[in-house]
Amino acid sequence: MSSSSTTTTTTRLLMLKASDGVTFEVEEAVATKLGAINNMVEEEGSEDLICLPNVNGKFLGMVLEWCKKHANNNTNSDKGNDEVNKWWDKEFVMDLDQNTLYHLLMAADYLSGTELVDLLTEKVASMIRGKKVEEIRETFKIKSDFLPGQEEEIRKKNSWAFE
Amino acid sequence: MATKRVNRTFGRKKDGVPNIMAVDRISKLPDPVIHHILSFVPTLYAVRMSILSRRWRRVWYSIPALHFCDSDNMGYPVFGGQQKKAFYKFVEECVKHRQICTRYITDSVITRFKLDIEHYGDNAPIDKWFTSAVLRNVEHLNLSIKAEDFVGFYRLPEAVLNARSLTVLKLSGLRLGNPCLVSLPSLLSLSLMQVELFDEPLRNLMLGCPALEKFCLKDCFCLPKLQISSSTLKFLEIIDEDLFETIEVVAINLQSFIYDGDSNDINLSACKAIRSLSLDSPLNSKSLEDLICGLPLLESLTSDLHFELTLKHIRICGQHLKSIRLDIDDCGQENPEVTIEAPNLISFYYRGDIMCGISMNAPDNLLDVQIVIEEGYSSGQKYDRDWYINLIMFLSNFIFSWKTTVSLHVNSEEVCILYASFVDLVYLQIIIARLIYLHIYK
């Protein structure tokens, strides 16, 4: 593709190993979008296999897919790229189920992928905004563990928030 | 298919393996992640979530961003009945509770404070909330007042204009009138929208922000002659509706300038470091040419072009230009000419009529060319042989290298039908000597 000429000078491949033993070979420019990997490369170099015991292969794959898209789209400074990235991000989070969303968020947080954390937390926030407490409870399957009457007590005490 | 169905019924059972969809995941997220999520949610929801479970009981005490908005995402008021009173009471209580909890919760810093309200004319409480936020070293402050009449404009308290920790300040719908002393030593980004602003307060403001890098000015009032000077400013965006007659910017470190408005007197002669220029203005071709010539480091240019009867030619040149985007809405009766001299150009975009003659000796590194052909609305374009000849004439002014990818966007399917029937198209392909992506859009 057209990006080949710009990346030939910097293309170095990193080997990442997920908790379940799945390995990924990615360009350094892609993987270093993740703060944690950037730090590891800076401190220990990029020759060795980088082990990530807290991330499962499935979710590491998804995180890297996101990084790859954003690393590619950032190389050419076209004005329309912001739009493309936004559109792509929207698609990326659109149909995520809560289980995937949770694991992705944990992975992105662990890997310090700041922009990805922003994207995913905003997605969760959009599932909260505009909802009544009961709807939030239903959406996220949150079970109340208050003692009988305790919830009512908090509600009363903070009546200024529940009118 | 069969296994899926089995799984689904299995998941619904009360005993056995829990349904993956019925698991509460969000409560298991670490605190910082939850605080991050709730930073994007109006504080009202975060407070109400305290009755979800014990896990959520005190979460809102540690959210670093407070966001108070008196209407929900659909525009309806968040409190029924005594709307104003209830909303003020709510903010008051939140600010108070967050103040109290600093005594026993360590991570209760407030870095962002946002207030998004209709204007009620009751300023004392707002002053109090802001002052309290400033005292807690808030970094981002965002105030938006939907002012219906401009009589009762809100004025910022002095504490805000002297907030040492403030890095980002966004204001909308208020007045920066009284000349009080401004000292915002950490402020990096300032955004003013529908703000009433006179020369003197603006000058004070700029003088009081010695670290300012980004400044956005949108639809502000009362300044026929805008003058901005700052030695630290890197990004400047001005969007106005026919308000400024002249714009003068004195900013030696300015890198990016965006203007969208009706002024045709823009002076950037003191901003030699500009790398990116984006204009949507009625500047004529001569003024634009002069403006561009005065920017030796320009790398990216986005502009619409306006030609007058006597000025039918523009020359765009720059040693560092890498990206050019040109828009021509109306060519007029005469056919204007554009000459481009940019030896380091990488991408070129043009939207407009094919009657405009663009000549360019494309450099080797030009990778991406996009041409969107738009005919004047009135012309009722026929895609006949003449049109193709014009297209060929138009394209033949470009001299592309083999590496260049050219995509051509045309707004009618007719083009496609005729595309096959003209032998000239073979010639067309020879001219371009590279792939043509033909896009039809409507």
Side-chain angles (χ1 to χ4, degrees), chain B residues 103-338:
Chain B
R103 292 182 208 143
Y104 56 93
I105 291 179
T106 45
D107 60 341
S108 72
V109 285
I110 298 174
T111 54
R112 292 162 187 243
F113 192 99
K114 181 174 173 186
L115 187 65
D116 192 348
I117 53 167
E118 303 263 347
H119 186 51
Y120 295 125
D122 191 3
N123 295 339
I126 304 179
D127 285 359
K128 206 173 95 189
W129 305 332
F130 280 172
T131 309
S132 133
V134 166
L135 287 174
R136 298 193 60 183
N137 295 324
V138 74
E139 289 164 19
H140 292 223
L141 198 62
N142 187 334
L143 170 63
S144 168
I145 299 178
K146 287 173 223 82
E148 277 180 8
D149 57 85
F150 304 127
V151 184
F153 262 131
Y154 176 69
R155 286 168 203 263
L156 278 182
E158 250 175 79
V160 171
L161 293 171
N162 289 278
R164 304 200 67 79
S165 54
L166 210 57
T167 56
V168 176
L169 180 61
K170 284 187 183 174
L171 302 171
S172 171
L174 54 103
R175 168 183 282 169
L176 279 173
N178 44 345
C180 78
L181 210 61
V182 179
S183 173
L184 299 166
S186 314
L187 197 71
L188 298 174
S189 170
L190 175 65
S191 163
L192 305 178
M193 202 177 145
Q194 295 180 343
V195 169
E196 192 190 68
L197 188 72
F198 295 101
D199 289 2
E200 187 66 25
L202 178 64
R203 210 169 304 131
N204 271 343
L205 196 62
M206 299 310 286
L207 284 173
C209 302
L212 193 66
E213 292 185 355
K214 191 172 178 192
F215 188 17
C216 299
L217 205 60
K218 202 173 169 188
D219 303 333
C220 292
F221 316 97
C222 298
L223 268 177
K225 290 187 165 76
L226 181 72
Q227 197 186 27
I228 290 173
S229 72
S230 160
S231 59
T232 50
L233 205 61
K234 288 184 181 154
F235 304 94
L236 177 61
E237 180 173 357
I238 301 171
I239 298 172
D240 78 314
E241 290 160 2
D242 64 25
L243 283 155
F244 303 124
E245 285 165 18
T246 64
I247 293 173
E248 187 185 2
V249 184
V250 181
I252 50 166
N253 287 307
L254 196 66
Q255 293 179 1
S256 166
F257 180 67
I258 298 172
Y259 177 71
D260 181 352
D262 278 351
S263 170
N264 53 17
D265 187 353
I266 301 171
N267 185 348
L268 299 175
S269 57
C271 310
K272 297 287 183 209
I274 291 182
R275 286 175 167 75
S276 169
L277 179 69
S278 172
L279 295 173
D280 190 348
S281 73
L283 277 188
N284 67 35
S285 56
K286 178 75 177 69
S287 313
L288 183 63
E289 191 176 309
D290 292 346
L291 201 66
I292 295 166
C293 283
L295 304 173
L297 299 178
L298 197 63
E299 288 176 7
S300 162
L301 171 72
T302 302
S303 180
D304 50 350
L305 300 182
H306 299 276
F307 297 98
E308 288 165 13
L309 272 176
T310 48
L311 300 164
K312 284 196 270 309
H313 179 254
I314 182 169
R315 186 169 149 264
I316 295 170
C317 56
Q319 279 295 315
H320 297 279
L321 269 172
K322 288 183 185 147
S323 158
I324 297 180
R325 294 174 69 89
L326 298 177
D327 244 294
I328 300 183
D329 269 335
D330 187 12
C331 263
Q333 292 300 313
E334 305 289 326
N335 304 338
E337 279 171 44
V338 181

Side-chain angles (χ1 to χ4, degrees), chain A residues 55-78:
Chain A
V55 192
N56 167 306
K58 181 183 163 196
F59 303 111
L60 181 59
M62 289 178 83
V63 170
L64 291 172
E65 186 194 343
W66 181 89
C67 291
K68 207 171 176 177
K69 203 77 198 174
H70 282 253
N72 276 350
N73 283 354
N74 287 347
T75 47
N76 37 6
S77 59
D78 200 318

